Amino acid sequence: MLSLLQERRLPTAAYPIRGLTHFLRHPGRHAGPIFISIIKVIATSSLFVIPLYKYGYGIQSSFLAKAYRMFFSHDRTLPSTSSSILIKVSGLLLCFVETSAITLLIGSHFIGDIRVRLFDSVLKERNGLPPRTPDDVAAMAEKISGSPRNKVQPYHHFLSPRHIMVVSAQQDDSWSIFFLRSALFVLTLPLNIVPVVGPFCFISIQALFRGGMAHRRYFQLYCWTSEQRQHRIEHYFWQYQRFGLVATAMEMIPIAGYLFMYTNQIGAAIWAMDLHDKKLLEPAKK
C-alpha cells in the first residue's frame, strides 16, 4: 500500500505534460531529428487528410442528416435550424477525429526509431541504461520484475481493454500493433457520431495502445518476459490508462500533435525512471 502511495505522488496523467516541459527546457538535444520526422509524417498524412476533407465531409454530413431524421426528428423531411447546425458541427468533428487518428496511426509507425532514441536518451541522462552483459540484464530483470516461473496469468477476451494493453506492452513488432490498432480504429470510428460521449470512448480505446506502449522500451532493455510485462500491466492498468488518455488526446490535437508524439515518449521515459529510482517498477506482490 505504501508503494502505491509513493508511486502516485506525481499523477501518471501529468507525465505527458512533463515530457513536453523537458523538451522545451532542452530543445537542442532532440529538435533536429524530431523536425525531420515531423516533415515526413505531414507529407504522408496529407495523402489521406486532403481527400478526407474534400470528399468525406459532404458524405458524412449527409449520412448524419439521415441518421438524425431517422432516430431523433419527428419531422423526417426537413431538419430544423438547430439540428442543421448540430449536423454540420458533428460532421466537422468527425472529420477532425478521423484526421487526428490517421495522423496518429501513421506517425506511430514512421517515428518508431526516433521514439526509441528519445526514450534511451532520457535513461542515459538518469543513468538508467542497463548493463550490456546479457547475464547481468537477465538477472536484473528477474530481480526487478520477479521470477517468470510458476506464474499463472489471468485470461482476458481478445478485445478486452486489459488484453489490448497487455499485447501493446508485449509485442515488440510495431506492424502487428499497427494492424490491430487500425482495425479497432475502423470498428470504433462510428462512436464519434454520438456527441461528447462518443469521442471520449473513441479516445479511451485508442489510449489502451498508448498506455501499453509507455514502458515497452524499458521492458525491452531490461529483458522482461511476456509474463512479467503482463503482470505489471495487470496490477497498474488504470495508471497506464490515465497516461494513455492524456497522451492520446494531446497527439490528436491538429499540428501540435506532431510534436506531442515525441514529447509523450520523453514523458514515458521520465515516468519509468522515477519508478526505477524508487524501486517501484515492479508488479504488486501477491
Side-chain angles (χ1 to χ4, degrees):
M1 184 66 180
L2 179 59
S3 64
L4 289 177
L5 292 175
Q6 290 174 337
E7 186 168 352
R8 291 173 182 173
R9 286 178 180 175
L10 181 63
T12 55
Y15 278 99
I17 307 298
R18 188 172 175 185
L20 175 62
T21 58
H22 181 87
F23 172 78
L24 295 177
R25 290 177 181 175
H26 312 285
R29 298 179 184 177
H30 317 294
I34 288 178
F35 177 75
I36 295 175
S37 184
I38 287 177
I39 296 299
K40 294 180 180 179
V41 174
I42 292 176
T44 307
S45 301
S46 62
L47 298 176
F48 302 91
V49 171
I50 294 176
L52 175 63
Y53 278 97
K54 186 174 182 179
Y55 304 106
Y57 174 73
I59 296 174
Q60 292 175 154
S61 296
S62 176
F63 173 78
L64 289 173
K66 292 179 180 178
Y68 181 86
R69 287 195 298 267
M70 183 179 298
F71 295 105
F72 301 105
S73 179
H74 297 290
D75 183 5
R76 299 193 177 188
T77 59
L78 185 65
S80 63
T81 304
S82 59
S83 62
S84 298
I85 296 176
L86 179 61
I87 291 169
K88 292 181 180 179
V89 172
S90 298
L92 187 62
L93 179 61
L94 186 57
C95 283
F96 165 73
V97 172
E98 290 168 346
T99 301
S100 302
I102 290 172
T103 302
L104 185 61
L105 287 173
I106 295 175
S108 297
H109 176 70
F110 281 97
I111 66 176
D113 292 339
I114 304 296
R115 278 180 167 175
V116 168
R117 287 157 54 186
L118 290 174
F119 198 100
D120 292 355
S121 67
V122 174
L123 266 61
K124 185 177 181 180
E125 292 174 8
R126 303 275 294 269
N127 297 318
L129 289 175
R132 297 188 178 275
T133 305
D135 293 338
D136 293 340
V137 174
M140 184 174 295
E142 182 168 337
K143 179 181 178 181
I144 293 176
S145 61
S147 175
R149 303 182 186 89
N150 300 324
K151 285 187 177 181
V152 178
Q153 301 298 335
Y155 172 79
H156 299 289
H157 187 271
F158 177 70
L159 292 179
S160 69
R162 291 182 183 272
H163 179 78
I164 293 174
M165 186 177 290
V166 168
V167 169
S168 300
Q170 290 176 337
Q171 293 292 334
D172 296 334
D173 179 15
S174 60
W175 275 111
S176 59
I177 297 298
F178 177 80
F179 286 121
L180 177 60
R181 192 172 188 176
S182 300
L184 277 181
F185 163 74
V186 173
L187 292 174
T188 58
L189 185 61
L191 289 173
N192 294 286
I193 297 176
V194 182
V196 184
V197 177
F200 177 79
C201 293
F202 178 81
I203 293 175
S204 298
I205 294 172
Q206 295 297 314
L208 295 170
F209 295 94
R210 193 65 188 89
M213 292 186 293
H215 290 159
R216 188 172 65 186
R217 178 57 179 168
Y218 182 93
F219 298 152
Q220 293 173 348
L221 291 172
Y222 282 87
C223 300
W224 283 39
T225 65
S226 296
E227 292 77 13
Q228 292 169 341
R229 300 183 192 194
Q230 179 174 351
H231 202 70
R232 171 71 191 182
I233 298 298
E234 289 285 347
H235 285 82
Y236 297 95
F237 173 83
W238 289 110
Q239 294 187 18
Y240 286 100
Q241 178 67 357
R242 288 193 292 270
F243 175 89
L245 274 172
V246 177
T248 302
M250 291 175 63
E251 291 174 7
M252 294 183 73
I253 297 175
I255 302 177
Y258 294 115
L259 176 63
F260 295 150
M261 290 181 184
Y262 304 92
T263 59
N264 287 337
Q265 188 72 354
I266 296 175
I270 294 174
W271 180 22
M273 287 312 304
D274 284 350
L275 300 178
H276 178 91
D277 293 343
K278 299 174 184 177
K279 302 185 184 302
L280 292 173
L281 193 51
E282 60 183 44
K285 297 296 187 292
K286 292 184 179 182

